[in-house]
């Protein structure tokens, strides 16, 4: 039966228990997990948030080590799920997980910030029951011939790490979900939704035939956006009239040629090791440089002599002052990579490993405004990371809906220093009660110390709530003056930089936790619920108070959010300023100038116009006339 509604026709109507929205590995794993529990699941990967996105295939670290024992525990649980999924691939030929040991390198005598970080990593692994061994530099060099470590360097070796191939991960999870009976609608884009009280109605259609709509009636929703796919968490939440203190940031990686022997090195990271100086090279960025790298992988060719490509990158995100926070997901363009940091990483890697070739870092293009993602890879592939104020994932029921019906899940890879905002309104039972109320603490002083440390870690950009974990997991922690209270935040040790713990690796575990909640569990067993709860104070999740959200009819106006038009309505501009800004941007694009230069674009346009043979003055006059 085909139902006509205006210019649209309903060509399909389906009922299901749960609709999973998003294309992330977390979303695919959740659809599979829910179907295994007997739920009838429909998967709609395309949220309609079309925008520029990084290349779909990337390497992701499966690393158990971290200075926070709670994070180590979650990573160990997630690693078990990844290995179970890999085993299910069987003879399919898909290789989504390459087993690899992981290695943390730092000052061997525990000196300085790097030595203290290594000590925290070691203590956290011990507290979480994860195997970890310390080896001196000469022992590591004997174990891994490409390494050439001086005697002052030591390392922590963990045997259960790995490298995840994101493209293969998606293919395998999608295949497993379909085999489990999940109704996958990859070619449909979400067009609208409505809360019918006892169920949700979802409209979807293809981009080629937007008028031919499918309608899905479901009891529950799981929203799990894919940051790598351009589905920014804040934009995905805006589709459902919700705001949260999350954001997306761009980092950089680079590739270089390497000999095949480097395929035997572990997944590695350096903490507190300075790269050797290079004549004429810019200074190392301030703060502790955290360099990371993957084992060499074949298929790159080039250079001969058994050369392979090894990918390495910065294990940190650039500070927001460098303009890499992606506030506008609809207009994101790849920015210039952190070339200075990447060059420092390469000097350090070349100093520690034999067989490391030159990085692919040619001269930067004259304008990043017109650079495609494919071209940008040559200067350091852009990577997108979700960040929360405390660095922990987000998992909980959306405010504005009856608890138990609409769940949000997102893995975070970094923390950031949140802006000072007014205190959130009191949480009500109907707004975002993700779990049952926690039991009263038997040690109020320890709980207060943990909360104090968590707040301090978030304020200082600490990673993954490390100080809070130390307080909550240390027996006998008892408020001010305790060992946990005196522990320095990670941000201090890192000189203001942030330690990135790739939240991608927690995807299957978060999917299992989300399935638990949707199937009626009051809380999840894998972690302290306050760490990931969507209602925790750090996230400030609430139903949007923006005017566009109050006026929006999500059944018919969802496209205004998906295009960014509705969100931008809330940024009032004087009409003259708006016309002037649009003209400057148009002129900047025409002359290859970075439009983000703002008011300085007038001079830049004129200078660029002179270099290109005139016309700059005329364009500048045009922009003033428009203003």
């Amino acid at each position: 039966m085909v139902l006509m509604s205006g210019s649209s026709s309903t060509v399909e109507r389906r009922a299901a228990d749960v609709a999973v929205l998003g294309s992330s590995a977390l979303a695919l794993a959740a659809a599979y997990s829910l179907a295994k529990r007997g739920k009838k699941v429909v998967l709609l990967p395309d949220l309609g948030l079309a925008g520029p996105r990084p290349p779909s295939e990337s390497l992701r670290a499966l690393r158990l080590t971290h200075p926070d024992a709670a994070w180590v525990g979650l990573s160990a649980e997630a690693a078990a799920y990844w290995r179970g999924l890999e085993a299910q691939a069987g003879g399919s030929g898909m290789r989504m997980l390459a087993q690899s040991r992981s290695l943390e390198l730092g000052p061997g005598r525990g000196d300085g910030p790097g030595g203290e970080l290594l000590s925290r990593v070691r203590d956290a692994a011990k507290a979480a029951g994860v195997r970890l061994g310390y080896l001196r530099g000469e022992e590591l060099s004997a174990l891994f011939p490409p390494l050439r470590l001086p005697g002052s360097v030591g390392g922590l070796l963990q045997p259960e790490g790995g490298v995840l191939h994101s493209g293969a991960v998606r293919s395998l999870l999608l295949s497993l979900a379909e085999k489990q009976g999940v109704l996958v609608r990859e070619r449909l884009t979400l067009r609208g939704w409505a809360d019918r009280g006892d169920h949700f109605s979802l409209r979807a259609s293809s981009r080629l035939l937007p008028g031919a709509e499918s309608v899905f009636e479901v009891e529950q929703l799981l929203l799990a956006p894919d940051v790598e796919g351009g589905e920014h968490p804040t934009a995905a939440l805006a589709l459902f009239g919700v705001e949260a203190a999350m954001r997306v940031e761009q980092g950089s990686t680079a590739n270089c040629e390497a000999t095949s022997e480097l395929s035997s090195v572990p997944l590695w990271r350096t903490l507190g090791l300075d790269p050797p100086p290079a004549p004429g090279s810019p200074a190392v960025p301030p703060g502790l440089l955290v360099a990371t790298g993957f084992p060499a992988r074949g298929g790159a060719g080039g250079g001969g002599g058994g050369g392979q490509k090894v990918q390495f990158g910065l294990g940190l995100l650039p500070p927001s002052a460098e303009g890499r926070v992606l506030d506008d997901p609809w207009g994101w363009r790849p920015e210039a990579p952190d070339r200075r940091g990447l060059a420092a990483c390469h000097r350090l890697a070349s100093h520690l490993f034999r067989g490391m070739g030159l990085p692919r870092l040619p001269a930067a293009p004259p304008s990043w405004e017109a650079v495609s993602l494919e071209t940008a890879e040559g200067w350091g592939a852009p990577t997108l990371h979700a960040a929360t104020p405390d660095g922990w994932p987000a998992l909980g029921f959306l405010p504005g809906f009856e608890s138990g019906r609409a769940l949000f899940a997102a893995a975070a890879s970094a923390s950031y220093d949140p802006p000072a905002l007014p205190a959130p309104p009191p949480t009500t039972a109907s707004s975002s009660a993700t779990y049952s109320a926690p039991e009263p603490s038997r040690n109020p002083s320890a709980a207060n110390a943990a909360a104090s440390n968590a707040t301090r870690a978030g304020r200082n950009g600490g990673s993954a709530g490390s100080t809070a974990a130390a307080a909550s997991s240390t027996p006998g922690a008892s408020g001010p003056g305790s060992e946990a209270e005196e522990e320095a935040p990670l941000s201090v040790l890192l000189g203001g930089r942030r330690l990135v713990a790739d939240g991608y690796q927690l995807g299957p575990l978060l999917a299992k936790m989300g399935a638990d909640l949707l199937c009626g569990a009051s809380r999840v067993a894998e972690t302290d619920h306050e760490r990931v709860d969507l209602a925790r104070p750090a996230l400030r999740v609430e139903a949007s108070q923006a005017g566009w959200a109050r006026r929006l009819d999500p059944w018919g106006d969802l496209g205004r959010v998906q295009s960014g038009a509705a969100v931008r309505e809330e940024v009032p501009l004087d009409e003259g300023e708006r016309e002037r800004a649009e003209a400057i941007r148009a002129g900047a694009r025409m002359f290859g100038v970075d439009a983000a230069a703002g008011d300085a674009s007038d001079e830049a346009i004129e200078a660029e116009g002179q270099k290109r043979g005139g016309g700059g003055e005329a364009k500048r006059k045009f922009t003033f006339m428009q203003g």
Side-chain angles (χ1 to χ4, degrees), residues 56-307:
S56 58
E57 174 62 39
S58 62
L59 300 181
R60 309 299 295 256
L62 178 57
R63 188 196 308 272
L64 275 60
T65 50
H66 192 275
D68 186 333
W71 188 278
V72 175
L74 283 182
S75 300
E77 291 278 352
Y81 277 91
W82 281 117
R83 292 188 176 89
L85 290 170
E86 175 78 0
Q88 292 188 55
S92 65
M94 295 183 185
R95 180 116 185 257
M96 70 172 191
L97 173 62
Q99 301 292 337
S100 172
R101 288 171 283 189
S102 62
L103 179 62
E104 309 281 345
L105 295 170
R109 292 184 294 272
D111 297 334
E116 186 173 343
L117 277 175
L118 281 184
S119 297
R120 287 199 189 183
V121 171
R122 180 189 57 210
D123 295 343
K126 183 178 180 180
V130 168
R131 293 187 295 166
L132 192 67
Y134 177 80
L135 287 84
R136 298 188 302 272
E138 58 269 23
E139 294 173 319
L140 286 168
S141 296
L143 186 60
F144 303 106
L147 272 173
R148 47 184 181 189
L149 300 179
S152 60
V153 174
L156 297 172
L157 188 63
Q158 208 289 319
E160 297 163 345
V163 177
L164 295 163
H165 298 260
S166 64
V169 164
R170 189 181 191 283
S171 297
L172 177 61
L173 289 176
L174 195 59
S175 174
L176 290 175
E178 289 179 321
K179 290 179 180 177
Q180 197 61 41
V182 174
L183 180 64
V184 180
R185 288 291 185 262
E186 278 200 282
R187 298 183 180 181
L188 300 185
T189 300
L190 183 66
R191 302 294 183 184
W193 63 271
D195 187 351
R196 307 298 187 190
D198 60 343
H199 71 279
F200 293 98
S201 293
L202 305 175
R203 293 170 47 229
S205 63
S206 71
R207 297 179 184 272
L208 294 177
L209 296 172
E213 296 181 343
S214 297
V215 176
F216 303 97
E217 312 281 352
V218 300
E219 295 180 3
Q220 295 173 303
L221 297 176
L222 171 57
L223 179 62
D226 181 12
V227 175
E228 280 194 324
E231 299 166 357
H232 294 211
T234 52
L237 286 169
L239 297 177
F240 292 86
V242 177
E243 295 177 327
M246 298 183 70
R247 71 187 192 192
V248 175
E249 301 185 8
Q250 177 186 316
S252 301
T253 62
N255 296 318
C256 65
E257 298 303 319
T259 59
S260 57
E261 65 176 345
L262 281 176
S263 61
S264 65
V265 304
L267 179 70
W268 56 272
R269 177 166 60 185
T270 64
L271 301 173
L273 298 180
D274 295 326
S281 297
V284 178
L288 180 60
L289 185 67
V290 182
T292 67
F294 296 91
R297 53 196 175 106

Side-chain angles (χ1 to χ4, degrees), residues 306-334:
Q308 293 184 338
K309 180 189 297 182
V310 57
Q311 179 172 336
F312 69 95
L314 290 177
L316 49 86
L317 295 177
S320 58
E322 294 186 13
R324 295 170 189 269
V325 178
L326 309 182
D327 292 325
D328 182 4
W330 298 275
W332 173 71
R333 292 176 183 272

Side-chain angles (χ1 to χ4, degrees), residues 55 250 253 332-337 360-361 365 368 371-382:
Q250 177 186 316
T253 62
W332 173 71
R333 292 176 183 272
E335 297 184 24
R360 295 176 56 200
L361 290 172
W368 283 92
V371 169
S372 66
L373 285 167
E374 291 75 13
T375 304
E377 276 196 274
W379 287 271

